[in-house]
Amino acid sequence: MKKVIMLQPSEWIIMEKLWENPPKTIMQLYHELKEDPGWSKSTVNTLLGRMVKKDIIYYEEGKKAKLYYPKAARDDAAVSETRSLIERVYQGSVGMMMSTLIRNHNLTDEDIRELYEILGEAVDKHD
């Protein structure tokens, strides 16, 4: 069973940058994040330290600076977050979640076709 990965909103921001193009130094991350969301270098450094301790990123010593890499895959983080959402909000019911989404969002024909395709793949896996 895969490790459960729960990311705070600020950790998602950093992970998106690391998933996009690893590795990154603290200065590269700082320059990417100083305008939006407006973080200081010390904020970035603090978050990186916490994320290393949580074992969701790691670093290697570079020639001039530490090089940070994601340890958790984007898909694994998304699955953990989705499972948590379904448990917290929908009492573990995927059907209730889908019903809520379908009733409260204007699905396009493309959205509906994509859902049918996903459900078809799920049925094929169970056969």
Side-chain angles (χ1 to χ4, degrees):
M1 185 166 179
K2 289 189 177 189
K3 177 181 168 185
V4 174
I5 302 157
M6 297 303 296
L7 300 174
Q8 298 298 315
S10 57
E11 294 169 342
W12 271 101
I13 293 168
I14 289 178
M15 291 301 285
E16 288 293 341
K17 298 296 181 185
L18 293 176
W19 285 322
E20 185 179 289
N21 190 23
K24 298 221 184 245
T25 66
I26 184 174
M27 289 309 292
Q28 288 171 318
L29 287 165
Y30 163 66
H31 287 297
E32 291 182 29
L33 300 169
K34 69 181 177 182
E35 296 296 323
D36 182 21
W39 292 345
S40 67
K41 182 180 169 192
S42 64
T43 298
V44 174
N45 191 43
T46 298
L47 287 168
L48 290 172
R50 287 181 188 162
M51 292 170 75
V52 167
K53 285 181 185 172
K54 285 179 72 174
D55 203 30
I56 54 178
I57 65 171
Y58 69 99
Y59 66 86
E60 294 176 355
E61 292 291 343
K63 290 182 182 181
K64 294 184 179 183
K66 292 177 181 174
L67 300 171
Y68 289 91
Y69 296 84
K71 195 167 190 179
R74 177 185 272 127
D75 288 349
D76 293 340
V79 167
S80 290
E81 291 286 343
T82 302
R83 282 186 187 140
S84 174
L85 173 74
I86 292 169
E87 290 300 321
R88 279 190 338 268
V89 178
Y90 300 102
Q91 295 88 40
S93 171
V94 174
M96 185 187 299
M97 181 191 73
M98 292 302 297
S99 176
T100 301
L101 290 172
I102 290 168
R103 279 184 292 176
N104 294 305
H105 290 79
N106 293 327
L107 297 179
T108 65
D109 289 344
E110 185 178 333
D111 292 334
I112 294 167
R113 277 191 293 276
E114 185 177 2
L115 286 171
Y116 270 115
E117 186 177 312
I118 291 166
L119 291 171
E121 289 173 11
V123 168
D124 291 345
K125 283 184 181 179
H126 287 310
D127 289 342

